[in-house]
Amino acid sequence: MRKKLPFYHLWLLSFALIFGVSTSITAQNSSKTLTQLHSKQALKSSSGITQQSRNNPSSINETSINTADRINVQDCDQGDDSNGFENGFNITAESGYRSADDFYVSPNESLNVRSIVFNVFANYPVSSVDFNFYEDDGGKPGATLIASETGLTPYAQVPIGAAFGYTVYAIYVEVDFNFDGGASGTSYWMQPEVDSPMAFWEGTSAGTLGEVIHMSEFLGPWTPDDDGGIHHGVFKLHCDVVVAGDPICFDISDTIEPITRVVLANIDNTSSAAIDGSPALEDFTNIQGVMAQGISYDIALAGNTNGFLCYFTVWIDWNQNDEFEADEMYEIGYIANSSGTDGEQTTGTITVPTSAVLGETTMRVIKNWDTSPTDPCGVYLYGQGEDYTIIVEDELGVENQTSTAFSYYPNPTSGVVKITANKEINSVSVVNILGQQVLVKENLENGLVDLSNLQIGAYMFRVAFDDGSIENFKVLKE
Ligand SMILES: [Ca+2]
Ligand SMILES: [Ca+2]
Ligand SMILES: [Ca+2]
């Protein structure tokens, strides 16, 4: 099993503390480790997850500081930006590890920091934040603690992405610290700690502000980050209390186990079955499905389950308010041990509400390991999302276009039922009152279904048309 459990992390943490397992901590038993995330895994992540293509409204995308221009920089808003969640450095309180990064106050300036924003990999929002500040001692944190604040409650923790099996949060903390630049400018070191089962400060190799992250293990000496000595912490120091950015909507934090086929109405879309071979949220909004108010449609979904059991849920924004609400959600079902190309599928029915707003709207399909997804904007460990466009049409308009003219007779019948429709019938299935399917017809000759071999009783007919619509009716066999 690969389910992540907080106590598992705590156990590992204890293990690490007792046995001194360097700084590398197994984040989850799917063989991922996060430390200091190893470079190899950082590479795997950057190749597997297309960070650039993702809508990543990171709040930390403001002005970055060029250290060469330090004398003239604005001290407010300094810090380094996210670079696609390359790496993480342990800042879990009481983990035995400390991570610190530096900032700078210009000569004859006093920097009043009123909010600090920093990016953290964690499973959940953190409970509280501590900040310790040290003087600079020749390019590393000095021994003297010059300022400290503990037990701070963030005023916002915004999910902005996912990596290494964790959600990435932009954490916003209101503070009131003053730092003096002195006559010739001064560097200081900020050491954040967070109360969390496991949390890592995002590091970027594209950072430019001052020195790289320095680490100290079990109160030992400070040394440059032990994953190459190239990573700066992702944070910003602000001289006002900044407004939190928008959260990301949907992501996969560990492995993209893809949706491989979606069949609904006139949509029949096949996509890559390769693990980590397509984006977490695949954009198929150029594909338009046409559905009519009040009509029911069969849906069939397939995917690569990577040897596990995966559930599918579909949302359609019927009221076109750009949100997927609970009454717009369809939990379709699950498949297990499917390659995504073996024909395994889960099926269901989606009935367009008669109140659905006419015109263009969005459908999201989410596949998730182990549990049926119920959050259209969630960050999931294993799976994929796909977005499509749905055109909602007026029921009358569709009937005028396609002239359903659907009928069946005789009813009751002693043998044959004749079905007529002005559109192509794909299949007919007949189910008895016990719910057992007793008859399936793929190719109807003259629309005739013969019940003469069946027992007397009531039967439910389900007629699926080539355009994806369906008709259900009951026939009595005498
Ligand atoms: Ca730095
Ligand atoms: Ca896909
Ligand atoms: Ca909606």
Side-chain angles (χ1 to χ4, degrees):
M1 290 302 291
R2 54 183 181 180
K3 196 177 178 89
K4 295 176 59 158
L5 296 170
F7 72 79
Y8 180 75
H9 291 151
L10 288 167
W11 182 85
L12 273 168
L13 192 57
S14 310
F15 182 84
L17 284 167
I18 293 165
F19 298 98
V21 180
S22 77
T23 53
S24 180
I25 294 170
T26 302
Q28 111 182 50
N29 46 359
S30 70
S31 80
K32 286 232 156 137
T33 62
L34 179 64
T35 9
Q36 308 56 259
L37 297 159
H38 294 285
S39 306
K40 195 163 63 179
Q41 281 157 352
L43 284 172
K44 180 173 183 288
S45 171
S46 59
S47 62
I49 302 175
T50 313
Q51 304 286 4
Q52 288 78 5
S53 72
R54 208 159 315 155
N55 175 24
N56 175 17
S58 169
S59 60
I60 304 191
N61 54 8
E62 299 150 42
T63 323
S64 69
I65 305 298
N66 184 340
T67 52
D69 301 328
R70 272 180 165 180
I71 301 304
N72 297 315
V73 298
Q74 180 70 32
D75 294 341
C76 294
D77 306 323
Q78 66 177 302
D80 277 314
D81 298 331
S82 174
N83 191 37
F85 316 136
E86 287 176 89
N87 217 318
F89 296 86
N90 201 334
I91 53 167
T92 313
E94 299 175 22
S95 66
Y97 306 114
R98 294 181 295 168
S99 303
D101 201 357
D102 62 336
F103 59 96
Y104 182 74
V105 185
S106 301
N108 305 312
E109 294 288 337
S110 177
L111 174 64
N112 179 215
V113 180
R114 293 306 317 279
S115 64
I116 299 174
V117 187
F118 64 119
N119 287 2
V120 168
F121 302 88
N123 286 316
Y124 318 100
V126 306
S127 311
S128 70
V129 176
D130 303 343
F131 288 111
N132 296 316
F133 294 92
Y134 302 91
E135 62 181 3
D136 179 71
D137 178 16
K140 63 183 197 304
T144 308
L145 187 67
I146 58 161
S148 180
E149 192 78 57
T150 61
L152 296 166
T153 302
Y155 67 86
Q157 301 190 60
V158 181
I160 56 166
F164 305 103
Y166 290 83
T167 300
V168 186
Y169 293 96
I171 298 184
Y172 293 71
V173 188
E174 185 174 352
V175 295
D176 191 358
F177 292 113
N178 279 294
F179 300 98
D180 195 357
S184 54
T186 307
S187 288
Y188 294 94
W189 288 81
M190 177 177 83
Q191 183 233 331
E193 284 186 4
V194 301
D195 193 355
S196 165
M198 194 65 90
F200 303 86
W201 189 5
E202 184 189 352
T204 166
S205 63
T208 57
L209 178 60
E211 304 294 333
V212 296
I213 281 184
H214 276 52
M215 307 192 63
S216 160
E217 193 175 342
F218 304 114
L219 297 176
W222 289 97
T223 54
D225 89 71
D226 66 354
D227 203 19
I230 56 170
H231 298 96
H232 293 258
V234 175
F235 72 99
K236 286 288 167 75
L237 305 181
H238 296 287
C239 300
D240 55 355
V241 180
V242 296
V243 175
D246 294 328
I248 195 169
C249 182
F250 185 80
D251 210 341
I252 297 294
S253 64
D254 194 299
T255 306
I256 294 162
E257 298 174 348
I259 297 164
T260 56
R261 192 177 177 197
V262 172
V263 181
L264 173 68
N266 56 307
I267 295 171
D268 185 351
N269 185 44
T270 300
S271 55
S272 168
I275 299 295
D276 276 337
S278 45
L281 184 59
E282 211 166 9
D283 184 2
F284 291 120
T285 52
N286 60 321
I287 297 175
Q288 298 184 332
V290 180
M291 301 175 80
Q293 290 172 328
I295 305 293
S296 295
Y297 297 85
D298 282 340
I299 185 166
L301 301 164
N304 185 343
T305 67
N306 206 10
F308 293 92
L309 186 146
C310 297
Y311 290 80
F312 292 82
T313 299
V314 173
W315 288 263
I316 301 176
D317 182 17
W318 296 123
N319 62 2
Q320 295 183 26
N321 68 344
D322 294 327
E323 287 176 25
F324 296 118
E325 285 129 325
D327 62 354
E328 298 172 328
M329 179 173 81
Y330 305 88
E331 295 183 74
I332 304 298
Y334 65 84
I335 54 175
N337 297 317
S338 174
S339 64
T341 56
D342 53 12
E344 277 289 319
Q345 59 181 32
T346 181
T347 60
T349 303
I350 292 177
T351 302
V352 183
T354 52
S355 61
V357 175
L358 299 179
E360 193 174 306
T361 193
T362 308
M363 171 172 77
R364 173 161 297 175
V365 183
I366 294 180
K367 169 181 174 291
N368 180 45
W369 163 68
D370 195 44
T371 55
S372 183
T374 55
D375 181 356
C377 284
V379 174
Y380 297 88
L381 279 165
Y382 308 90
Q384 191 179 43
E386 291 186 355
D387 281 355
Y388 294 85
T389 297
I390 297 294
I391 309 287
V392 178
E393 290 196 340
D394 180 274
E395 185 179 6
L396 279 176
V398 170
E399 284 191 342
N400 287 344
Q401 276 174 24
T402 58
S403 307
T404 307
F406 175 77
S407 68
Y408 54 95
Y409 66 92
N411 185 24
T413 180
S414 56
V416 168
V417 174
K418 181 170 173 61
I419 300 168
T420 55
N422 281 6
K423 52 185 176 179
E424 288 298 312
I425 293 172
N426 181 286
S427 66
V428 177
S429 76
V430 180
V431 172
N432 67 18
I433 52 169
L434 299 175
Q436 298 159 328
Q437 186 170 274
V438 293
L439 201 63
V440 182
K441 286 284 214 178
E442 296 288 351
N443 295 306
L444 276 196
E445 290 166 13
N446 305 320
L448 298 177
V449 179
D450 188 359
L451 304 185
S452 33
N453 291 332
L454 301 180
Q455 295 178 338
I456 288 168
Y459 293 91
M460 279 303 301
F461 274 59
R462 178 186 184 80
V463 180
F465 297 97
D466 275 355
D467 68 358
S469 62
I470 57 176
E471 290 280 355
N472 292 299
F473 56 90
K474 188 160 77 178
V475 170
L476 216 53
K477 161 86 186 293
E478 292 184 331

